[in-house]
Amino acid sequence: MTHSLSPTPFVALERVSKTFAQIKAAPRAQGGEPSDRPIAALDGFDLRVGEGEVVALLGPSGCGKSTALRMIAGLTEPTSGAVVWRDPAAAGDIGVVLQDPTLAPWSTVADNVRLPLRLKGLGRAASEPRVAEALTRVGLADRAGAYPGELSGGMRMRVSMARALVARPRLLLLDEPFGALDEITRFKLNDELLALRREHGWAVVFVTHSVFESVYLADRIVVMTPRPGRAAAEIAVSADEPRSSGFRMSPAYAALCRGVSQALEAATEAG
Ligand SMILES: Nc1ncnc2c1ncn2[C@@H]1O[C@H](COP(=O)(O)OP(=O)(O)OP(=O)(O)O)[C@@H](O)[C@H]1O
Ligand SMILES: [Mg+2]
């Protein structure tokens, strides 16, 4: 067997394509035929995620970012191409925050966050401090006893985030986790994510619409074309400075943001 020169990534999407069947009722007034033309969400998309690497997916709405994330999570299968794990055991060791947070409405915030630990067979006493820590990380320690229906959208997203990180997975998959938050909370959670990553060495793949956020958080930014999504550009973010408020104010940060914006614009126009 031959090996490529580059080290095997932690997880990779290899030339994945995804086509969704589209069953659409014909607009009767126009006497149209029922259209079942399939929708190509991804077309030959490549993504490599290294051990402990933070990768941002950036691209226009509908370009297949969530589809790609769901594929890594094993929630949807590629139509062609493959999801390749270096260590197949890691495929089950992931924390996922989906674009629409799915919390059990009948369970408290703490019980929702506890779920992954329960599934791992951890008892209530052993999981309690872990749940408390995760809730503190996302700034919701005081809402442990609340029910999801009593929380704002941004708070529900943060509960979903706590649930994703409570089991200390090897890979975090985050689909626009900070989109619904005010800027101060968003910055705080950005820094928590960076701290967690430093502590645990987790790999992270996250979807964002924010050029600024992608540059602040990521080691590498993958810019995608409009649907069907492919990788249009990859930008490495190598900052000498630690990622902190100082980095946000630095000329290097501004220059990186400009470059990523231009790449996004070029990818969108080319698509
Ligand atoms: N389950 C599904 N069935 C049919 N079509 C789907 C399904 N999931 C996604 N699609 C289609 O695939 C395309 C890509 O969707 P996806 O949700 O991956 O985009 P996205 O890049 O995450 O967009 P956004 O930034 O708006 O969240 C869209 O055209 C969408 O309508
Ligand atoms: Mg999406």
Side-chain angles (χ1 to χ4, degrees):
M1 199 179 131
T2 55
H3 292 273
S4 61
L5 289 174
S6 55
T8 318
F10 181 67
V11 61
L13 296 179
E14 291 185 348
R15 302 209 62 72
V16 295
S17 297
K18 179 71 182 182
T19 311
F20 290 107
Q22 183 189 215
I23 317 291
K24 205 165 65 184
R28 245 187 240 157
Q30 293 160 28
E33 291 290 303
S35 154
D36 56 359
R37 216 152 32 105
I39 283 211
L42 293 168
D43 181 23
F45 180 53
D46 280 312
L47 180 73
R48 298 164 69 85
V49 182
E51 186 92 51
E53 191 183 26
V54 180
V55 177
L57 297 184
L58 194 65
S61 183
C63 77
K65 302 179 297 293
S66 296
T67 303
L69 214 66
R70 294 172 64 87
M71 227 176 242
I72 301 173
L75 297 170
T76 189
E77 292 280 320
T79 309
S80 65
V83 186
V84 179
W85 294 86
R86 187 176 59 206
D87 169 11
D93 197 5
I94 55 181
V96 187
V97 176
L98 295 175
Q99 200 166 357
D100 312 302
T102 45
L103 302 173
W106 53 85
S107 297
T108 62
V109 162
D111 283 338
N112 268 287
V113 173
R114 192 185 342 264
L115 181 67
L117 299 178
R118 233 180 67 202
L119 294 176
K120 281 190 165 182
L122 220 64
R124 186 170 275 266
S127 56
E128 213 131 274
R130 299 267 295 269
V131 170
E133 193 218 314
L135 283 173
T136 303
R137 292 271 188 193
V138 300
L140 287 177
D142 56 339
R143 303 311 302 271
Y147 288 87
E150 301 168 330
L151 303 179
S152 70
M155 285 169 162
R156 281 198 288 273
M157 205 63 186
R158 281 145 70 196
V159 175
S160 172
M161 178 96 180
R163 184 181 56 187
L165 54 85
V166 74
R168 297 176 191 153
R170 288 166 70 182
L171 173 67
L172 263 183
L173 302 172
L174 309 174
D175 200 343
E176 294 185 53
F178 310 124
L181 303 177
D182 67 88
E183 199 155 275
I184 298 297
T185 310
R186 189 172 181 145
F187 285 0
K188 254 191 215 146
L189 285 184
N190 283 178
D191 289 336
E192 281 298 341
L193 181 61
L194 288 172
L196 281 165
R197 182 276 184 104
R198 272 196 304 274
E199 279 168 43
H200 301 289
W202 295 339
V204 182
V205 181
F206 76 99
V207 171
T208 180
H209 281 132
S210 164
V211 167
F212 302 105
E213 188 166 84
S214 70
V215 173
Y216 189 68
L217 291 177
D219 299 314
R220 196 155 47 84
I221 300 166
V222 176
V223 179
M224 293 172 69
T225 64
R227 188 171 66 76
R230 280 174 292 106
E234 288 209 14
I235 296 155
V237 184
S238 49
D240 302 332
E241 277 185 79
R243 313 276 173 117
S244 66
S245 52
F247 177 52
R248 271 208 187 86
M249 303 296 161
S250 70
Y253 178 72
L256 281 162
C257 289
R258 246 190 335 268
V260 174
S261 276
Q262 280 161 359
L264 182 60
E265 222 168 275
T268 306
E269 275 163 16

